Amino acid sequence: MTGPVLVTGAAGRVGTVLREGLPERGWAVRSLDVVGIGEPRPGEETVVADVTDPAAMRSATAGAAAVVHLAGISGESTWPAVLHANVDGTRTVLETARRAGVRRVVLASSNHATGYTGRPASGPLREDDGLARPDTHYGVSKVAMEALGSLYADRYGLDVVCLRIGTAAPEPPTPRALATWLSPRDTVALVDAALRAPSPGFRVVWGVSANTRGWWDLTAARSLGYEPQDDAEVYAGALVAAHGEPDPADPVHARVGGEFTLPEYDAEEVPS
């Protein structure tokens, strides 16, 4: 692939990690966000644009080798807000990518697309075990994202890789994250693998590190070339000392969506 990788939502947590990590792996980056990103890094292009604006996205996508789509609302919100930012935004990204001749799109899906799935009693969950059981409007938007990716792969022949990201953070913040953590280093490795895999077609893979307590099977991600290096277990002692061992009967630990499955995440209670 020639040309830069367009990273939408580049001012966010994951986008900031990729702005640093992808160039270290040889990728030129065009960073896009609805807010100013700051001083460009060496070799980086920056664009201020809204992913729901077709004209702006046509300009941003021109000449790109691939798109990594991270932009959108990253937690629960009202249905109109989630529909506009996450569903309409994803559709606009895919449509402008295919019209610009971009053949590879990596979509930041989420474990919350399957949040009401019970955590496995034994053995890890495969992607086929994680059928759509969204825990929030946000989770529904990620199910829609995966469906749109499937459509554009089948109808237009794009390579679309959906990453069901767990807890992307510098270190696991909670006991639940001992299972769901995706480290910054592994974030870069996963996206790099999704960009480089030969002819992946349409794929949905779990996006987590090699966690000893992990719930999800990484076989599909590894088949892309992903080799995770980090394990949340190195943080287990401090987290368990502070919070206690996770209780499998607690809904936060009994369902893969964790706290997103709790009553206080009812979108009717979320301010617009």
Side-chain angles (χ1 to χ4, degrees):
M1 290 186 280
T2 59
V5 174
L6 174 64
V7 178
T8 73
R13 177 186 293 172
V14 175
T16 298
V17 168
L18 295 180
R19 287 179 62 210
E20 178 178 355
L22 288 181
E24 292 176 351
R25 290 177 175 250
W27 298 102
V29 173
R30 180 181 295 163
S31 297
L32 179 149
D33 208 293
V34 72
V35 299
I37 296 168
E39 191 68 24
R41 303 182 186 199
E44 179 186 28
E45 303 173 47
T46 60
V47 180
V48 176
D50 188 328
V51 294
T52 66
D53 181 340
M57 289 306 298
R58 282 194 294 271
S59 176
T61 307
V67 178
V68 177
H69 178 45
L70 309 171
I73 294 171
S74 60
E76 183 61 321
S77 188
T78 61
W79 179 244
V82 169
L83 176 64
H84 178 68
N86 293 12
V87 181
D88 291 345
T90 297
R91 192 264 177 187
T92 300
V93 166
L94 287 164
E95 180 65 12
T96 54
R98 74 104 176 171
R99 288 183 178 274
V102 176
R103 307 308 303 165
R104 179 75 54 99
V105 179
V106 180
L107 299 175
S109 185
S110 171
N111 68 99
H112 297 292
T114 68
Y116 273 106
T117 301
R119 91 185 251 188
S122 63
L125 289 167
R126 301 167 303 165
E127 285 74 11
D128 289 347
D129 299 323
L131 300 178
R133 292 192 67 183
D135 49 31
T136 44
H137 288 163
Y138 169 72
V140 170
S141 77
K142 295 304 182 177
V143 174
M145 170 181 276
E146 294 179 5
L148 284 164
S150 177
L151 172 65
Y152 274 77
D154 287 338
R155 182 173 292 277
Y156 302 113
L158 272 64
D159 288 317
V160 180
V161 182
C162 302
L163 310 178
R164 285 183 177 166
I165 295 172
T167 305
E171 60 185 59
T174 63
R176 173 180 174 270
L178 293 172
T180 63
W181 185 49
L182 177 64
S183 73
R185 173 167 58 173
D186 288 340
T187 297
V188 175
L190 178 61
V191 172
D192 180 62
L195 289 169
R196 294 185 187 278
S199 304
F202 177 71
R203 301 278 190 98
V204 177
V205 305
W206 298 114
V208 290
S209 290
N211 302 319
T212 297
R213 306 186 190 208
W215 300 332
W216 295 305
D217 189 332
L218 289 175
T219 300
R222 291 180 186 275
S223 74
L224 297 173
Y226 174 53
E227 290 298 335
Q229 300 298 308
D230 295 315
D231 184 347
E233 198 63 20
V234 298
Y235 300 95
L239 284 169
V240 169
H243 302 281
E245 281 285 352
D247 178 4
D250 183 336
V252 170
H253 303 294
R255 305 169 185 144
V256 300
E259 63 273 12
F260 274 49
T261 68
L262 299 179
E264 54 262 36
Y265 271 78
D266 186 335
E268 297 302 318
E269 305 300 322
V270 177
S272 59

